[in-house]
Amino acid sequence: MSNSAAENGVVILGSGLGGYTLARELRKLDAGIAITIVTADGGESYSKPMLSAAFAQGKAPSSLVQKSAEQMAADLKATILVRHRVAAIRRDARKVVVRRPDGGEVELGYGRLVLAIGADPRPYWVEGCEDAEIRTVNDLDDYTAWRAALKPGGRVLLVGAGLIGSEFANDLAGSGHHVTVVDPAPWPLGRLLPQALGEEMARALGDAGITFHLGRSVAYWNKGRAALDDATMIHYDQALSAIGLVPRTRLAFEAGLKVERGITVDRFLRTSDPDIFAIGDCAETPAGPLPFVLPLMAEAKALAATLAGTETALKLPALPVVVKTPALPMVVCPPAPGAAGEWVIEGEGRDRKALFIAPDGKALGFALSGARAGERQALAREMPDLL
Ligand SMILES: Cc1cc2nc3c(=O)[nH]c(=O)nc-3n(C[C@H](O)[C@H](O)[C@H](O)COP(=O)(O)OP(=O)(O)OC[C@H]3O[C@@H](n4cnc5c(N)ncnc54)[C@H](O)[C@@H]3O)c2cc1C
């Protein structure tokens, strides 16, 4: 591994949508800058959101790969080290300690360092779960293993009815599986939707064949069986946990960088070290953690400009998220966490518009379902900017 190219150049940790979008934007602005990407995975370019929508579309995991790491390296004129995990950041020496696939370690110098290392599945622990083979799907490797483990037409027990859990449930039911979902919340997407739209989502997913146990948790697991806290026993072939993600902050924390809910960055995506930046799911921007694709793209564009020599602050309009549940099209643009206000709902049945209205009458967020989902762009323009 040559150190000289990296020393004055940009080293990006992570080859997800964050790392690769940044590299692409930076290369557009600067043909000569040395870019090195170090990634713990295989470095394939793929669209992560497809992981919860591919099955019912008949797509095999391998067909989700848009480009191999070699193709990406050629396109980006970058060095890409795949299956290399960064174990530590040595800020004093401006180096990262990289663990090679063979177990050896090398140091790699950086001029500027960008952390685009994503988030981990939230740990789940309930009595008996160690032997229950509860999987999580947060990247292409997980997804490939999950698809290989699934039995055609098998019984899947899914823990978590949030955005990603609901999408997986719909996708699995749409590909012939018998899906049961357990969540302590009273309706799906409980943190994003008001009750009326959440109940409509539960009805639509129920009509698609999914069984819900809402307001319930698993009390204990016992290989192929899970007992709920109301004593219902659920028999399953495969279990999946989708209870949320936690930004990967350990590397930054151990290097002495400021960390709160994510790696803290300012509007320039700069951490508490002026030569280290963070974007995507691992970062906490001044608008909070924003673990979605559209904010990540805006972050990558702004940071590329800064790294190419023009200091550029992140600006973020309201960015609605399309929920990939064909059973009931849904778009959410939630208000900032803790915002004061209440939901006002228009429409009937599947086709509804919900506005989150502040005490001063201003709309701060929205949710749209069914035929109303098409109103998202016009409505997004009326919402306050995130940053
Ligand atoms: C199933 C699913 C569906 C989703 N659907 C949507 C959607 O419809 N719309 C939407 O907006 N968002 C969606 N999201 C969220 C969106 O996909 C993420 O916000 C985005 O992909 C995060 O990209 P990232 O680059 O920050 O992180 P990741 O894609 O997680 O990439 C992190 C990278 O860092 C590498 N890495 C980690 N640690 C190290 C280390 N120590 N050393 C070296 N490399 C390391 C990893 O190998 C990986 O390459 C979805 C997420 C999931 C899981």
Side-chain angles (χ1 to χ4, degrees), residues 13-19 38-41 46 48-49 51-52 84-87 116-119 137-138 163-164 167-168 245 248 251 279-282 290-294 296 321-322 324:
L13 310 188
S15 61
L17 285 167
V38 185
T39 183
D41 61 27
Y46 72 103
K48 191 185 269 200
L51 300 183
S52 49
H84 281 62
R85 181 173 288 280
V86 171
I117 53 178
V137 172
N138 185 35
L163 187 143
I164 289 173
E167 291 185 351
F168 273 123
L245 296 172
R248 293 189 176 115
L251 266 184
I279 58 169
D281 283 9
C282 67
L290 301 167
F292 295 106
V293 173
L294 290 178
L296 166 163
V321 177
V322 176
K324 302 184 295 296

mmCIF file of all heavy atoms in Angstrom, residues 13-19 38-41 46 48-49 51-52 84-87 116-119 137-138 163-164 167-168 245 248 251 279-282 290-294 296 321-322 324, ligand 1:
data_model
loop_
_atom_site.group_PDB
_atom_site.id
_atom_site.type_symbol
_atom_site.label_atom_id
_atom_site.label_comp_id
_atom_site.label_asym_id
_atom_site.label_seq_id
_atom_site.Cartn_x
_atom_site.Cartn_y
_atom_site.Cartn_z
ATOM 1 N N LEU A 13 -13.413 6.810 4.348
ATOM 2 C CA LEU A 13 -13.697 5.512 4.955
ATOM 3 C C LEU A 13 -15.146 5.167 4.661
ATOM 4 O O LEU A 13 -16.059 5.873 5.093
ATOM 5 C CB LEU A 13 -13.459 5.547 6.473
ATOM 6 C CG LEU A 13 -12.114 6.111 6.942
ATOM 7 C CD1 LEU A 13 -11.957 5.897 8.456
ATOM 8 C CD2 LEU A 13 -10.950 5.479 6.180
ATOM 9 N N GLY A 14 -15.352 4.068 3.900
ATOM 10 C CA GLY A 14 -16.711 3.636 3.594
ATOM 11 C C GLY A 14 -17.033 3.780 2.122
ATOM 12 O O GLY A 14 -16.712 4.802 1.501
ATOM 13 N N SER A 15 -17.662 2.729 1.567
ATOM 14 C CA SER A 15 -18.029 2.749 0.146
ATOM 15 C C SER A 15 -19.534 2.590 -0.026
ATOM 16 O O SER A 15 -19.999 1.994 -0.996
ATOM 17 C CB SER A 15 -17.302 1.614 -0.589
ATOM 18 O OG SER A 15 -17.705 0.364 -0.031
ATOM 19 N N GLY A 16 -20.297 3.110 0.938
ATOM 20 C CA GLY A 16 -21.753 3.141 0.773
ATOM 21 C C GLY A 16 -22.135 4.323 -0.107
ATOM 22 O O GLY A 16 -21.285 4.937 -0.770
ATOM 23 N N LEU A 17 -23.413 4.659 -0.092
ATOM 24 C CA LEU A 17 -23.873 5.778 -0.918
ATOM 25 C C LEU A 17 -23.164 7.071 -0.519
ATOM 26 O O LEU A 17 -22.888 7.915 -1.369
ATOM 27 C CB LEU A 17 -25.390 5.944 -0.772
ATOM 28 C CG LEU A 17 -26.204 4.885 -1.518
ATOM 29 C CD1 LEU A 17 -27.668 4.921 -1.082
ATOM 30 C CD2 LEU A 17 -26.102 5.106 -3.025
ATOM 31 N N GLY A 18 -22.835 7.204 0.775
ATOM 32 C CA GLY A 18 -22.148 8.412 1.242
ATOM 33 C C GLY A 18 -20.746 8.512 0.661
ATOM 34 O O GLY A 18 -20.388 9.509 0.016
ATOM 35 N N GLY A 19 -19.932 7.479 0.878
ATOM 36 C CA GLY A 19 -18.539 7.502 0.421
ATOM 37 C C GLY A 19 -18.444 7.624 -1.090
ATOM 38 O O GLY A 19 -17.675 8.453 -1.617
ATOM 39 N N VAL A 38 -11.240 3.385 1.713
ATOM 40 C CA VAL A 38 -10.975 2.169 2.497
ATOM 41 C C VAL A 38 -12.326 1.656 2.973
ATOM 42 O O VAL A 38 -13.079 2.399 3.613
ATOM 43 C CB VAL A 38 -10.094 2.471 3.729
ATOM 44 C CG1 VAL A 38 -9.734 1.178 4.458
ATOM 45 C CG2 VAL A 38 -8.841 3.237 3.336
ATOM 46 N N THR A 39 -12.634 0.418 2.651
ATOM 47 C CA THR A 39 -13.969 -0.065 3.006
ATOM 48 C C THR A 39 -13.928 -1.479 3.579
ATOM 49 O O THR A 39 -13.199 -2.337 3.083
ATOM 50 C CB THR A 39 -14.918 0.005 1.785
ATOM 51 O OG1 THR A 39 -16.216 -0.418 2.212
ATOM 52 C CG2 THR A 39 -14.477 -0.863 0.621
ATOM 53 N N ALA A 40 -14.745 -1.685 4.607
ATOM 54 C CA ALA A 40 -14.778 -2.990 5.268
ATOM 55 C C ALA A 40 -15.531 -4.023 4.435
ATOM 56 O O ALA A 40 -15.373 -5.222 4.643
ATOM 57 C CB ALA A 40 -15.443 -2.844 6.636
ATOM 58 N N ASP A 41 -16.350 -3.553 3.482
ATOM 59 C CA ASP A 41 -17.117 -4.522 2.681
ATOM 60 C C ASP A 41 -16.458 -4.748 1.325
ATOM 61 O O ASP A 41 -15.298 -4.375 1.114
ATOM 62 C CB ASP A 41 -18.591 -4.096 2.588
ATOM 63 C CG ASP A 41 -18.759 -2.738 1.909
ATOM 64 O OD1 ASP A 41 -17.908 -2.371 1.092
ATOM 65 O OD2 ASP A 41 -19.767 -2.055 2.209
ATOM 66 N N TYR A 46 -24.008 -0.243 -4.913
ATOM 67 C CA TYR A 46 -25.398 -0.715 -4.976
ATOM 68 C C TYR A 46 -26.276 0.280 -4.249
ATOM 69 O O TYR A 46 -25.783 1.103 -3.461
ATOM 70 C CB TYR A 46 -25.531 -2.113 -4.345
ATOM 71 C CG TYR A 46 -25.416 -2.107 -2.835
ATOM 72 C CD1 TYR A 46 -26.543 -2.223 -2.025
ATOM 73 C CD2 TYR A 46 -24.178 -1.953 -2.198
ATOM 74 C CE1 TYR A 46 -26.443 -2.190 -0.637
ATOM 75 C CE2 TYR A 46 -24.079 -1.916 -0.818
ATOM 76 C CZ TYR A 46 -25.208 -2.037 -0.042
ATOM 77 O OH TYR A 46 -25.102 -1.983 1.321
ATOM 78 N N LYS A 48 -28.658 0.867 -1.461
ATOM 79 C CA LYS A 48 -29.130 0.201 -0.234
ATOM 80 C C LYS A 48 -30.658 0.169 -0.107
ATOM 81 O O LYS A 48 -31.217 -0.833 0.335
ATOM 82 C CB LYS A 48 -28.486 0.855 0.990
ATOM 83 C CG LYS A 48 -28.718 0.052 2.242
ATOM 84 C CD LYS A 48 -28.207 0.734 3.473
ATOM 85 C CE LYS A 48 -26.786 0.357 3.792
ATOM 86 N NZ LYS A 48 -26.477 0.650 5.222
ATOM 87 N N PRO A 49 -31.365 1.253 -0.488
ATOM 88 C CA PRO A 49 -32.822 1.197 -0.347
ATOM 89 C C PRO A 49 -33.477 0.023 -1.084
ATOM 90 O O PRO A 49 -34.561 -0.420 -0.721
ATOM 91 C CB PRO A 49 -33.291 2.537 -0.932
ATOM 92 C CG PRO A 49 -32.154 3.468 -0.642
ATOM 93 C CD PRO A 49 -30.917 2.621 -0.840
ATOM 94 N N LEU A 51 -32.676 -2.967 -0.873
ATOM 95 C CA LEU A 51 -32.635 -4.202 -0.074
ATOM 96 C C LEU A 51 -34.008 -4.550 0.487
ATOM 97 O O LEU A 51 -34.301 -5.722 0.713
ATOM 98 C CB LEU A 51 -31.627 -4.088 1.082
ATOM 99 C CG LEU A 51 -30.167 -3.836 0.715
ATOM 100 C CD1 LEU A 51 -29.301 -3.833 1.962
ATOM 101 C CD2 LEU A 51 -29.657 -4.872 -0.288
ATOM 102 N N SER A 52 -34.834 -3.532 0.709
ATOM 103 C CA SER A 52 -36.159 -3.838 1.273
ATOM 104 C C SER A 52 -37.253 -3.799 0.213
ATOM 105 O O SER A 52 -38.431 -3.703 0.545
ATOM 106 C CB SER A 52 -36.479 -2.858 2.413
ATOM 107 O OG SER A 52 -36.238 -1.533 2.008
ATOM 108 N N HIS A 84 -10.957 -4.080 3.885
ATOM 109 C CA HIS A 84 -9.969 -3.456 4.772
ATOM 110 C C HIS A 84 -10.749 -2.639 5.800
ATOM 111 O O HIS A 84 -11.558 -1.782 5.413
ATOM 112 C CB HIS A 84 -9.036 -2.513 4.006
ATOM 113 C CG HIS A 84 -7.943 -3.220 3.253
ATOM 114 N ND1 HIS A 84 -8.197 -4.117 2.241
ATOM 115 C CD2 HIS A 84 -6.586 -3.141 3.363
ATOM 116 C CE1 HIS A 84 -7.041 -4.565 1.768
ATOM 117 N NE2 HIS A 84 -6.045 -3.991 2.429
ATOM 118 N N ARG A 85 -10.539 -2.906 7.060
ATOM 119 C CA ARG A 85 -11.292 -2.223 8.115
ATOM 120 C C ARG A 85 -10.363 -1.265 8.868
ATOM 121 O O ARG A 85 -9.271 -1.665 9.284
ATOM 122 C CB ARG A 85 -11.871 -3.267 9.085
ATOM 123 C CG ARG A 85 -12.687 -2.681 10.217
ATOM 124 C CD ARG A 85 -13.365 -3.770 11.026
ATOM 125 N NE ARG A 85 -14.456 -4.384 10.308
ATOM 126 C CZ ARG A 85 -15.678 -3.854 10.207
ATOM 127 N NH1 ARG A 85 -15.957 -2.718 10.822
ATOM 128 N NH2 ARG A 85 -16.616 -4.457 9.529
ATOM 129 N N VAL A 86 -10.788 -0.044 9.024
ATOM 130 C CA VAL A 86 -9.974 0.903 9.796
ATOM 131 C C VAL A 86 -10.219 0.662 11.283
ATOM 132 O O VAL A 86 -11.363 0.642 11.747
ATOM 133 C CB VAL A 86 -10.292 2.354 9.390
ATOM 134 C CG1 VAL A 86 -9.622 3.343 10.331
ATOM 135 C CG2 VAL A 86 -9.803 2.581 7.964
ATOM 136 N N ALA A 87 -9.137 0.434 12.005
ATOM 137 C CA ALA A 87 -9.247 0.084 13.424
ATOM 138 C C ALA A 87 -9.036 1.294 14.320
ATOM 139 O O ALA A 87 -9.472 1.291 15.472
ATOM 140 C CB ALA A 87 -8.228 -1.002 13.766
ATOM 141 N N ALA A 116 -17.375 8.006 6.382
ATOM 142 C CA ALA A 116 -18.695 7.720 5.779
ATOM 143 C C ALA A 116 -18.991 6.259 6.113
ATOM 144 O O ALA A 116 -19.242 5.431 5.237
ATOM 145 C CB ALA A 116 -18.646 7.965 4.271
ATOM 146 N N ILE A 117 -18.946 5.973 7.408
ATOM 147 C CA ILE A 117 -18.921 4.570 7.862
ATOM 148 C C ILE A 117 -20.292 4.047 8.292
ATOM 149 O O ILE A 117 -20.392 2.925 8.789
ATOM 150 C CB ILE A 117 -17.879 4.360 8.991
ATOM 151 C CG1 ILE A 117 -18.095 5.359 10.124
ATOM 152 C CG2 ILE A 117 -16.453 4.453 8.431
ATOM 153 C CD1 ILE A 117 -17.141 5.181 11.304
ATOM 154 N N GLY A 118 -21.337 4.834 8.104
ATOM 155 C CA GLY A 118 -22.682 4.308 8.271
ATOM 156 C C GLY A 118 -23.099 4.059 9.712
ATOM 157 O O GLY A 118 -22.594 4.684 10.655
ATOM 158 N N ALA A 119 -24.043 3.143 9.866
ATOM 159 C CA ALA A 119 -24.653 2.869 11.171
ATOM 160 C C ALA A 119 -24.783 1.361 11.358
ATOM 161 O O ALA A 119 -24.838 0.607 10.386
ATOM 162 C CB ALA A 119 -26.031 3.523 11.235
ATOM 163 N N VAL A 137 -30.562 -6.945 8.393
ATOM 164 C CA VAL A 137 -30.140 -6.693 7.009
ATOM 165 C C VAL A 137 -29.822 -5.213 6.875
ATOM 166 O O VAL A 137 -30.715 -4.368 6.867
ATOM 167 C CB VAL A 137 -31.250 -7.098 6.008
ATOM 168 C CG1 VAL A 137 -30.877 -6.652 4.597
ATOM 169 C CG2 VAL A 137 -31.464 -8.608 6.031
ATOM 170 N N ASN A 138 -28.529 -4.925 6.806
ATOM 171 C CA ASN A 138 -28.106 -3.528 6.739
ATOM 172 C C ASN A 138 -27.095 -3.291 5.619
ATOM 173 O O ASN A 138 -26.613 -2.194 5.447
ATOM 174 C CB ASN A 138 -27.520 -3.114 8.102
ATOM 175 C CG ASN A 138 -27.170 -1.651 8.165
ATOM 176 O OD1 ASN A 138 -27.858 -0.828 7.576
ATOM 177 N ND2 ASN A 138 -26.083 -1.315 8.839
ATOM 178 N N LEU A 163 -40.150 2.123 9.551
ATOM 179 C CA LEU A 163 -40.122 2.298 8.097
ATOM 180 C C LEU A 163 -39.496 1.078 7.406
ATOM 181 O O LEU A 163 -40.096 0.476 6.516
ATOM 182 C CB LEU A 163 -39.335 3.574 7.794
ATOM 183 C CG LEU A 163 -39.310 4.054 6.368
ATOM 184 C CD1 LEU A 163 -39.343 5.579 6.326
ATOM 185 C CD2 LEU A 163 -38.081 3.579 5.638
ATOM 186 N N ILE A 164 -38.327 0.678 7.867
ATOM 187 C CA ILE A 164 -37.634 -0.415 7.178
ATOM 188 C C ILE A 164 -38.315 -1.756 7.457
ATOM 189 O O ILE A 164 -38.474 -2.579 6.557
ATOM 190 C CB ILE A 164 -36.137 -0.391 7.545
ATOM 191 C CG1 ILE A 164 -35.504 0.833 6.872
ATOM 192 C CG2 ILE A 164 -35.429 -1.667 7.102
ATOM 193 C CD1 ILE A 164 -34.091 1.117 7.246
ATOM 194 N N GLU A 167 -41.336 -2.003 5.256
ATOM 195 C CA GLU A 167 -40.960 -2.274 3.860
ATOM 196 C C GLU A 167 -40.573 -3.740 3.679
ATOM 197 O O GLU A 167 -41.007 -4.394 2.725
ATOM 198 C CB GLU A 167 -39.785 -1.371 3.450
ATOM 199 C CG GLU A 167 -40.172 0.093 3.352
ATOM 200 C CD GLU A 167 -39.047 0.989 2.827
ATOM 201 O OE1 GLU A 167 -37.885 0.530 2.695
ATOM 202 O OE2 GLU A 167 -39.340 2.153 2.558
ATOM 203 N N PHE A 168 -39.750 -4.254 4.598
ATOM 204 C CA PHE A 168 -39.377 -5.680 4.492
ATOM 205 C C PHE A 168 -40.622 -6.570 4.567
ATOM 206 O O PHE A 168 -40.742 -7.547 3.829
ATOM 207 C CB PHE A 168 -38.406 -6.075 5.609
ATOM 208 C CG PHE A 168 -36.958 -5.826 5.273
ATOM 209 C CD1 PHE A 168 -36.164 -5.026 6.071
ATOM 210 C CD2 PHE A 168 -36.380 -6.409 4.152
ATOM 211 C CE1 PHE A 168 -34.831 -4.790 5.757
ATOM 212 C CE2 PHE A 168 -35.047 -6.184 3.829
ATOM 213 C CZ PHE A 168 -34.266 -5.370 4.634
ATOM 214 N N LEU A 245 -31.294 1.814 13.642
ATOM 215 C CA LEU A 245 -29.841 1.840 13.433
ATOM 216 C C LEU A 245 -29.202 2.814 14.416
ATOM 217 O O LEU A 245 -29.835 3.766 14.855
ATOM 218 C CB LEU A 245 -29.534 2.299 12.002
ATOM 219 C CG LEU A 245 -30.027 1.370 10.883
ATOM 220 C CD1 LEU A 245 -29.841 2.028 9.527
ATOM 221 C CD2 LEU A 245 -29.289 0.033 10.908
ATOM 222 N N ARG A 248 -22.330 4.713 13.651
ATOM 223 C CA ARG A 248 -21.033 4.138 14.084
ATOM 224 C C ARG A 248 -20.150 5.290 14.546
ATOM 225 O O ARG A 248 -19.666 6.078 13.723
ATOM 226 C CB ARG A 248 -20.364 3.401 12.922
ATOM 227 C CG ARG A 248 -21.121 2.162 12.509
ATOM 228 C CD ARG A 248 -20.346 1.304 11.515
ATOM 229 N NE ARG A 248 -21.091 0.088 11.240
ATOM 230 C CZ ARG A 248 -21.605 -0.236 10.044
ATOM 231 N NH1 ARG A 248 -21.427 0.543 9.000
ATOM 232 N NH2 ARG A 248 -22.282 -1.364 9.901
ATOM 233 N N LEU A 251 -14.943 4.727 16.278
ATOM 234 C CA LEU A 251 -13.640 5.187 15.747
ATOM 235 C C LEU A 251 -13.415 6.662 16.101
ATOM 236 O O LEU A 251 -12.327 7.044 16.542
ATOM 237 C CB LEU A 251 -13.660 5.108 14.220
ATOM 238 C CG LEU A 251 -13.127 3.887 13.512
ATOM 239 C CD1 LEU A 251 -13.186 4.127 12.005
ATOM 240 C CD2 LEU A 251 -11.695 3.592 13.947
ATOM 241 N N ILE A 279 -19.992 12.245 6.958
ATOM 242 C CA ILE A 279 -21.261 12.379 6.230
ATOM 243 C C ILE A 279 -22.057 11.088 6.323
ATOM 244 O O ILE A 279 -21.526 10.031 6.663
ATOM 245 C CB ILE A 279 -21.058 12.721 4.726
ATOM 246 C CG1 ILE A 279 -20.212 11.644 4.025
ATOM 247 C CG2 ILE A 279 -20.444 14.085 4.536
ATOM 248 C CD1 ILE A 279 -20.222 11.797 2.504
ATOM 249 N N GLY A 280 -23.339 11.188 5.985
ATOM 250 C CA GLY A 280 -24.194 9.992 5.913
ATOM 251 C C GLY A 280 -24.664 9.533 7.277
ATOM 252 O O GLY A 280 -24.737 10.312 8.231
ATOM 253 N N ASP A 281 -24.953 8.236 7.378
ATOM 254 C CA ASP A 281 -25.609 7.691 8.573
ATOM 255 C C ASP A 281 -24.770 7.809 9.844
ATOM 256 O O ASP A 281 -25.303 7.720 10.945
ATOM 257 C CB ASP A 281 -25.938 6.204 8.362
ATOM 258 C CG ASP A 281 -27.156 5.994 7.493
ATOM 259 O OD1 ASP A 281 -27.658 6.986 6.917
ATOM 260 O OD2 ASP A 281 -27.604 4.835 7.375
ATOM 261 N N CYS A 282 -23.447 7.964 9.709
ATOM 262 C CA CYS A 282 -22.619 8.045 10.923
ATOM 263 C C CYS A 282 -22.617 9.453 11.526
ATOM 264 O O CYS A 282 -22.203 9.645 12.664
ATOM 265 C CB CYS A 282 -21.177 7.587 10.643
ATOM 266 S SG CYS A 282 -20.239 8.657 9.530
ATOM 267 N N LEU A 290 -29.468 12.352 10.068
ATOM 268 C CA LEU A 290 -30.398 12.361 8.919
ATOM 269 C C LEU A 290 -30.129 11.105 8.081
ATOM 270 O O LEU A 290 -29.484 11.189 7.034
ATOM 271 C CB LEU A 290 -30.178 13.621 8.076
ATOM 272 C CG LEU A 290 -30.367 14.967 8.784
ATOM 273 C CD1 LEU A 290 -29.815 16.116 7.949
ATOM 274 C CD2 LEU A 290 -31.843 15.200 9.081
ATOM 275 N N PRO A 291 -30.586 9.939 8.548
ATOM 276 C CA PRO A 291 -30.140 8.681 7.924
ATOM 277 C C PRO A 291 -30.927 8.309 6.668
ATOM 278 O O PRO A 291 -31.515 7.234 6.585
ATOM 279 C CB PRO A 291 -30.361 7.660 9.055
ATOM 280 C CG PRO A 291 -31.521 8.206 9.813
ATOM 281 C CD PRO A 291 -31.463 9.706 9.691
ATOM 282 N N PHE A 292 -30.926 9.196 5.692
ATOM 283 C CA PHE A 292 -31.644 8.946 4.435
ATOM 284 C C PHE A 292 -30.790 9.393 3.260
ATOM 285 O O PHE A 292 -29.822 10.128 3.430
ATOM 286 C CB PHE A 292 -32.984 9.687 4.429
ATOM 287 C CG PHE A 292 -33.931 9.181 5.481
ATOM 288 C CD1 PHE A 292 -34.177 9.920 6.618
ATOM 289 C CD2 PHE A 292 -34.535 7.941 5.343
ATOM 290 C CE1 PHE A 292 -35.029 9.441 7.605
ATOM 291 C CE2 PHE A 292 -35.389 7.446 6.316
ATOM 292 C CZ PHE A 292 -35.640 8.189 7.453
ATOM 293 N N VAL A 293 -31.221 8.977 2.067
ATOM 294 C CA VAL A 293 -30.395 9.195 0.882
ATOM 295 C C VAL A 293 -30.317 10.670 0.473
ATOM 296 O O VAL A 293 -29.236 11.174 0.165
ATOM 297 C CB VAL A 293 -30.916 8.327 -0.292
ATOM 298 C CG1 VAL A 293 -30.189 8.657 -1.573
ATOM 299 C CG2 VAL A 293 -30.774 6.849 0.044
ATOM 300 N N LEU A 294 -31.447 11.369 0.462
ATOM 301 C CA LEU A 294 -31.405 12.747 -0.051
ATOM 302 C C LEU A 294 -30.506 13.665 0.785
ATOM 303 O O LEU A 294 -29.684 14.399 0.212
ATOM 304 C CB LEU A 294 -32.816 13.330 -0.199
ATOM 305 C CG LEU A 294 -33.658 12.704 -1.322
ATOM 306 C CD1 LEU A 294 -35.049 13.320 -1.358
ATOM 307 C CD2 LEU A 294 -32.990 12.863 -2.680
ATOM 308 N N LEU A 296 -27.968 12.789 2.532
ATOM 309 C CA LEU A 296 -26.592 12.305 2.307
ATOM 310 C C LEU A 296 -26.027 12.850 0.983
ATOM 311 O O LEU A 296 -24.854 13.223 0.905
ATOM 312 C CB LEU A 296 -26.699 10.788 2.331
ATOM 313 C CG LEU A 296 -25.681 9.812 1.875
ATOM 314 C CD1 LEU A 296 -26.054 8.477 2.476
ATOM 315 C CD2 LEU A 296 -25.618 9.687 0.407
ATOM 316 N N VAL A 321 -39.510 11.441 2.519
ATOM 317 C CA VAL A 321 -39.037 10.069 2.266
ATOM 318 C C VAL A 321 -40.208 9.247 1.742
ATOM 319 O O VAL A 321 -41.288 9.239 2.349
ATOM 320 C CB VAL A 321 -38.495 9.440 3.577
ATOM 321 C CG1 VAL A 321 -38.066 7.992 3.337
ATOM 322 C CG2 VAL A 321 -37.329 10.259 4.119
ATOM 323 N N VAL A 322 -39.984 8.574 0.619
ATOM 324 C CA VAL A 322 -41.007 7.696 0.044
ATOM 325 C C VAL A 322 -40.898 6.338 0.730
ATOM 326 O O VAL A 322 -39.824 5.735 0.733
ATOM 327 C CB VAL A 322 -40.793 7.550 -1.479
ATOM 328 C CG1 VAL A 322 -41.788 6.562 -2.076
ATOM 329 C CG2 VAL A 322 -40.898 8.911 -2.171
ATOM 330 N N LYS A 324 -41.454 2.486 0.828
ATOM 331 C CA LYS A 324 -41.617 1.518 -0.261
ATOM 332 C C LYS A 324 -42.572 0.390 0.171
ATOM 333 O O LYS A 324 -42.169 -0.755 0.340
ATOM 334 C CB LYS A 324 -40.253 0.977 -0.678
ATOM 335 C CG LYS A 324 -39.312 2.114 -1.132
ATOM 336 C CD LYS A 324 -37.990 1.608 -1.642
ATOM 337 C CE LYS A 324 -37.133 0.931 -0.614
ATOM 338 N NZ LYS A 324 -36.656 1.755 0.505
HETATM 339 C C1 LIG B 1 -33.152 -1.784 4.061
HETATM 340 C C2 LIG B 1 -32.966 -0.286 3.967
HETATM 341 C C3 LIG B 1 -33.819 0.460 3.164
HETATM 342 C C4 LIG B 1 -33.647 1.838 3.087
HETATM 343 N N1 LIG B 1 -34.505 2.565 2.292
HETATM 344 C C5 LIG B 1 -34.330 3.901 2.176
HETATM 345 C C6 LIG B 1 -35.172 4.674 1.324
HETATM 346 O O1 LIG B 1 -36.105 4.154 0.701
HETATM 347 N N2 LIG B 1 -34.938 6.004 1.220
HETATM 348 C C7 LIG B 1 -33.916 6.618 1.897
HETATM 349 O O2 LIG B 1 -33.733 7.825 1.760
HETATM 350 N N3 LIG B 1 -33.099 5.911 2.720
HETATM 351 C C8 LIG B 1 -33.289 4.574 2.862
HETATM 352 N N4 LIG B 1 -32.458 3.852 3.682
HETATM 353 C C9 LIG B 1 -31.348 4.545 4.349
HETATM 354 C C10 LIG B 1 -30.185 4.744 3.371
HETATM 355 O O3 LIG B 1 -30.006 3.579 2.619
HETATM 356 C C11 LIG B 1 -28.936 5.107 4.153
HETATM 357 O O4 LIG B 1 -29.176 6.366 4.758
HETATM 358 C C12 LIG B 1 -27.675 5.204 3.311
HETATM 359 O O5 LIG B 1 -27.548 4.127 2.420
HETATM 360 C C13 LIG B 1 -26.460 5.291 4.235
HETATM 361 O O6 LIG B 1 -25.292 5.381 3.491
HETATM 362 P P1 LIG B 1 -23.864 5.560 4.203
HETATM 363 O O7 LIG B 1 -22.866 5.666 3.107
HETATM 364 O O8 LIG B 1 -23.933 6.642 5.220
HETATM 365 O O9 LIG B 1 -23.666 4.223 5.037
HETATM 366 P P2 LIG B 1 -23.495 2.709 4.538
HETATM 367 O O10 LIG B 1 -24.176 2.467 3.263
HETATM 368 O O11 LIG B 1 -23.875 1.872 5.721
HETATM 369 O O12 LIG B 1 -21.945 2.566 4.274
HETATM 370 C C14 LIG B 1 -21.028 2.475 5.300
HETATM 371 C C15 LIG B 1 -19.706 2.008 4.715
HETATM 372 O O13 LIG B 1 -18.697 2.117 5.712
HETATM 373 C C16 LIG B 1 -17.914 0.923 5.712
HETATM 374 N N5 LIG B 1 -17.307 0.827 7.032
HETATM 375 C C17 LIG B 1 -17.897 0.781 8.248
HETATM 376 N N6 LIG B 1 -16.969 0.724 9.244
HETATM 377 C C18 LIG B 1 -15.765 0.749 8.622
HETATM 378 C C19 LIG B 1 -14.419 0.726 9.094
HETATM 379 N N7 LIG B 1 -14.128 0.684 10.395
HETATM 380 N N8 LIG B 1 -13.428 0.747 8.190
HETATM 381 C C20 LIG B 1 -13.687 0.812 6.853
HETATM 382 N N9 LIG B 1 -14.949 0.838 6.359
HETATM 383 C C21 LIG B 1 -15.959 0.813 7.234
HETATM 384 C C22 LIG B 1 -18.917 -0.157 5.353
HETATM 385 O O14 LIG B 1 -18.285 -1.318 4.896
HETATM 386 C C23 LIG B 1 -19.704 0.567 4.248
HETATM 387 O O15 LIG B 1 -19.019 0.506 3.022
HETATM 388 C C24 LIG B 1 -32.605 2.470 3.803
HETATM 389 C C25 LIG B 1 -31.758 1.705 4.625
HETATM 390 C C26 LIG B 1 -31.934 0.342 4.699
HETATM 391 C C27 LIG B 1 -31.017 -0.486 5.601
#
